[in-house]
Amino acid sequence: MVLGPDYSNVTIRLSTFTIPAIDMGTDKVMYRGIEIEQPTHMMQPGSKEITFNYYIKSDWTDYRALYNWCMNNAPINKGANALDTGNVNANGLLRTCDIDVTLLSPYKKRIVGFRFKNCWIKSFSDLQLAYDSADEIQHSFTCAYTNFVILDLNGLESQMKSPVAKDARE
């Protein structure tokens, strides 16, 4: 997983995450007195939230980067709003970034990638530390996002065209 341009040098080793469910939008139309569903060609993902579970690196750079990203979007005092603290971009939105998630083969070859657009952290899980354990420390965080796309094998957004019905005369 790679965070957006402000954190381009931060990679996070995910342990698990779930690709969101997608529903295709439909409209009902009447045809010769019969109600028929037609696709609207609009994808409607579920909650538009995703939870990432990851292993914290030994130097904690990944945890610190996530924490700093979260804190940069939060007003410092309770009376402030995002405008008071400069936490909005030119469009007046909270600072967001795209998150790229890449599934690699055992040989470190890209299998598939996903880009979650305009992400911002909604929550961190609690973190339990034990001095008597040598296990890797796992943590999770939940992001909200506007949409996601599947990346091609080069890590670029796919330019897929919609399938078109062939002419019945062919």
Side-chain angles (χ1 to χ4, degrees):
M1 175 172 145
V2 178
L3 300 178
D6 289 344
Y7 302 97
S8 59
N9 61 340
V10 176
T11 59
I12 296 173
R13 187 170 59 107
L14 297 179
S15 56
T16 61
F17 83 101
T18 302
I19 299 168
I22 300 173
D23 292 323
M24 290 301 294
T26 59
D27 281 333
K28 293 183 179 180
V29 296
M30 294 297 288
Y31 177 73
R32 296 187 181 186
I34 301 172
E35 190 174 80
I36 301 172
E37 278 191 308
Q38 294 288 316
T40 61
H41 304 291
M42 297 290 294
M43 290 194 312
Q44 300 170 338
S47 68
K48 293 200 176 186
E49 289 183 7
I50 186 166
T51 299
F52 298 103
N53 300 299
Y54 70 102
Y55 296 104
I56 295 178
K57 292 179 185 171
S58 60
D59 63 1
W60 288 61
T61 53
D62 45 6
Y63 183 86
R64 280 197 304 269
L66 291 168
Y67 177 81
N68 288 335
W69 177 30
C70 189
M71 295 317 306
N72 284 336
N73 283 330
I76 302 304
N77 62 40
K78 294 184 182 199
N81 63 34
L83 292 172
D84 295 334
T85 56
N87 288 325
V88 292
N89 62 21
N91 299 326
L93 301 172
L94 283 174
R95 289 186 199 135
T96 61
C97 74
D98 295 347
I99 294 178
D100 288 354
V101 178
T102 305
L103 179 63
L104 300 175
S105 74
Y107 304 106
K108 305 295 184 209
K109 301 268 187 200
R110 180 186 302 268
I111 296 173
V112 67
F114 302 91
R115 178 167 292 143
F116 294 89
K117 303 262 194 156
N118 302 312
C119 294
W120 55 277
I121 294 177
K122 286 191 76 170
S123 65
F124 276 154
S125 69
D126 58 348
L127 189 58
Q128 185 175 15
L129 302 174
Y131 291 104
D132 60 348
S133 175
D135 295 338
E136 289 185 281
I137 301 170
Q138 286 197 33
H139 186 248
S140 66
F141 63 98
T142 300
C143 286
Y145 64 94
T146 55
N147 65 313
F148 76 92
V149 295
I150 298 175
L151 303 175
D152 66 16
L153 293 177
N154 296 315
L156 302 172
E157 292 184 23
S158 300
Q159 301 298 320
M160 296 174 25
K161 300 202 186 289
S162 299
V164 178
K166 290 191 174 202
D167 190 340
R169 294 174 283 178
E170 289 183 17

